[in-house]
Amino acid sequence: MNPMNTYALEMRHITKTFPGVQALKDVTFCVRKGEVHALVGENGAGKSTLMKVLAGAHLADAGEILLDGKPVHITNPLEAQRLGISIIYQEFNLVPDLNVAENIFLGREPTKGPLGWIDRRKMYADAEAILQRLGIPLDVRAPVRRLSVAHQQIVEIAKALSQEAKIVAMDEPSATLTEHELDRLFEVIRGLKQSGVSIIYISHRLEEIFGICDTVTVLRDGQHVGTLPTNQVNREKLISMMVGRELAEGKFVVRKPPRKDPILRVQHLNRRGVLHDINFELYRGEILAFTGLVGAGRTELARAIFGADPIDSGEVYLHGQRVHIKSPQQAVRIGIGYLPEDRKQLGLVLGMVVRENATLSNLGALSVLGFVRRGMERGVVGNYVRDLDIRTPSIEQLVRNLSGGNQQKVVLAKWLFADCKVLIFDEPTRGIDVGAKSEIHRLMVDLAERGVGVIMISSELPEVLQVADRILVMHEGRIAAEMYRDEATQERIMHYATGGR
Ligand SMILES: Nc1ncnc2c1ncn2[C@@H]1O[C@H](COP(=O)(O)OP(=O)(O)OP(=O)(O)O)[C@@H](O)[C@H]1O
Ligand SMILES: [Mg+2]
C-alpha cells in the first residue's frame, strides 16, 4: 500500500451489464478523504448503478473496490454498511408503515437489557437528535406513509447520517427539498466533510455542484469521461462533457397565448386546513405556473382538482360547464391529466414494460372492437421513446429497470398520449438531466400551442420564469400573487412565496 495514498475510496475498472444494457464500462472513480465529490451525467449514464455497486446492491461483473487503499469485497448491503458506506438512494427505501424513528434505525435499533429488547425511548430520542441536527422538526412517531415526498427524503438522509459512515453517497438528495431544507443539508454536508467523511453527491442541478462540491466526475453512456476540480470547469464545459456536444440552453421565444376561452375555472375552492378560497382561470394554450415553497398547497390544489382528494367547498368549471370530479378516473375521462411529483406512487406501474405504461391511460385510442392494435401501439410508443429520448434497450423493458430520469419520461409519454385538454405537471423536470429538461420544456410549449391548457407546478424559479406565461404564487394554501412572465422576477416571486405583501 502506498502511504501517500489519500483516496478513501477507489472503484477501479468497474463493469456492469444488464440484459441489453451495458450500464458501466470500465469505470474508474476515486474519492479523497473529506471531499465532496460530484457525480454527474445524463439520465441513464450509470450514476445510480455505480452507487449500487458500491452499496452492494449490485455485483459488478468486473473491477475492484478499495477503501483506504485496501481491497474489499462488497457482496451485499450489510457488508457495505459494516465497511462504513452509506447510501441515500434516489428511489426511497423506506417502509411506509413504520414510523420515522423505526425507519431511521431499521435493523440497527438500540437495545437494552440482557434480552436485547428494543430501547424505544432511546430510539426516539436518537431520532429526534438527528433530525435536530438537520434542523427539520418531524414527528418521529408518524408513519412514513403519511409524510410528503420532501420529508421522506429527509428521513432517508437522517437514516444515512445515523450510520456514522465514512463514505456517504447521496443520489439526488436535493430533488425534493425546499431552499431551506437544502441549506440545512449543505450545512450538514460541510460538517461531515470537516470530520473527514467523504461525500459523493449526485444531482442534475449544476448550481449545487458548483456550490458544494470540490471535485466532479462525469459519466456518459456508462463510461468515465473525466474528473476535475470544480473550480477548473464552468457550466458550459460540464454540460458538453455530459452530453458530448455543445448545448444551447433555454432560449425561448416569448409567446402570446390567447387570453380568451378559459378551459378551466376554479372558484372559491376550499379544503379545510389546506386550501383557502382558491380562484383562478386557465386559458386555452396557456402555460400557467403555480409556484411557492414546498408545502404552500400546490400539490394539494392539483390533487383536489384531479379528484384525488375531496374538497369541502368550491366550484370547478371545464369549458364553462360545472363539473364535480370525484375521482382521478373521472378527471381523466373528462380530459384532465395529472403528472404527479412522486412518479413512484401515482405515475407508473413498475412491473409493467415501457409500452404498457405509456398507453395505459388511453387504450381506447388504440382499440378496435375491444382489441388493442399492437402494431399501432408499438409505433406510437416508439415515437415517444424517440421524441423524449427515453434511454431503454426496447419498449418491452420493465419500467423498474430504467434509470430514474427515464422513468419520469415514461410518465410524460403516458400523459401526452392520454389526449387531455388540461394537463397538470407537478415538478415535471425533477431528476431530469439538462438536455432532456429543455426537451420537456419545449414539449409543454408544443402542447400549449396545440390548445392544451398546461398547469406547471414548479419550485425551480428559473424554469418558471422561462416557460410560464403567467405565474400564480402560493403561500400557506392561498394564492398570494399573480403576475405575467414579463413582470416576474425571482425576487418578486420569493417575496410573495414567503408571505410578503
Ligand atoms: N436493474 C436493471 N436492469 C436493467 N437495466 C438497468 C437496471 N438498472 C439500471 N439499468 C440500466 O442501466 C443504465 C444506467 O442506469 P442508471 O440508473 O445507473 O442511470 P443514472 O445515471 O442514475 O440516471 P438518472 O439520472 O436518470 O437517475 C440505464 O440504461 C438503465 O436503464
Ligand atoms: Mg439515477
Side-chain angles (χ1 to χ4, degrees), residues 335-369:
I336 301 178
Y338 173 50
L339 287 87
E341 63 176 329
D342 184 356
R343 55 190 173 246
K344 290 286 161 70
Q345 271 177 20
L346 294 160
L348 288 173
V349 185
L350 295 178
M352 285 196 192
V353 303
V354 172
R355 172 181 52 76
E356 293 165 314
N357 268 287
T359 57
L360 201 58
S361 57
N362 194 11
L363 273 179
L366 294 168
S367 310
V368 176
L369 301 174

Side-chain angles (χ1 to χ4, degrees), residues 47-48 90 171-172 403-404:
K47 306 176 296 292
S48 296
Q90 186 174 16
D171 198 347
E172 289 191 49
S403 79

Side-chain angles (χ1 to χ4, degrees), residues 52 62 113 125 291 315 357 365 455 475:
K52 285 178 186 166
T291 189
E315 290 145 39
N357 268 287
I455 291 179
H475 173 67

Side-chain angles (χ1 to χ4, degrees), residues 128-187:
E128 253 156 20
I130 293 165
L131 290 167
Q132 188 95 47
R133 187 165 150 210
L134 282 165
I136 292 152
L138 278 185
D139 177 3
V140 294
R141 290 178 176 80
V144 155
R145 172 171 38 80
R146 287 223 307 270
L147 301 182
S148 67
V149 184
H151 284 158
Q152 291 186 14
Q153 178 73 276
I154 302 284
V155 176
E156 277 285 346
I157 294 168
K159 187 169 142 188
L161 292 181
S162 74
Q163 298 173 8
E164 298 185 1
K166 285 182 295 183
I167 293 167
V168 178
M170 305 184 175
D171 198 347
E172 289 191 49
S174 60
T176 64
L177 302 183
T178 61
E179 282 305 299
H180 168 74
E181 291 160 342
L182 193 61
D183 285 347
R184 299 298 313 205
L185 178 65
F186 281 4
E187 271 173 45

Side-chain angles (χ1 to χ4, degrees), residues 428-467:
T429 60
R430 197 180 82 197
I432 299 268
D433 67 49
V434 270
K437 203 165 179 167
S438 31
E439 289 296 303
I440 287 172
H441 291 160
R442 222 193 45 221
L443 216 131
M444 288 199 272
V445 172
D446 276 0
L447 282 167
E449 310 260 83
R450 280 191 259 151
V452 174
V454 176
I455 291 179
M456 173 175 77
I457 299 173
S458 173
S459 308
E460 253 185 79
L461 296 186
E463 163 172 284
V464 167
L465 291 171
Q466 200 174 64
V467 185

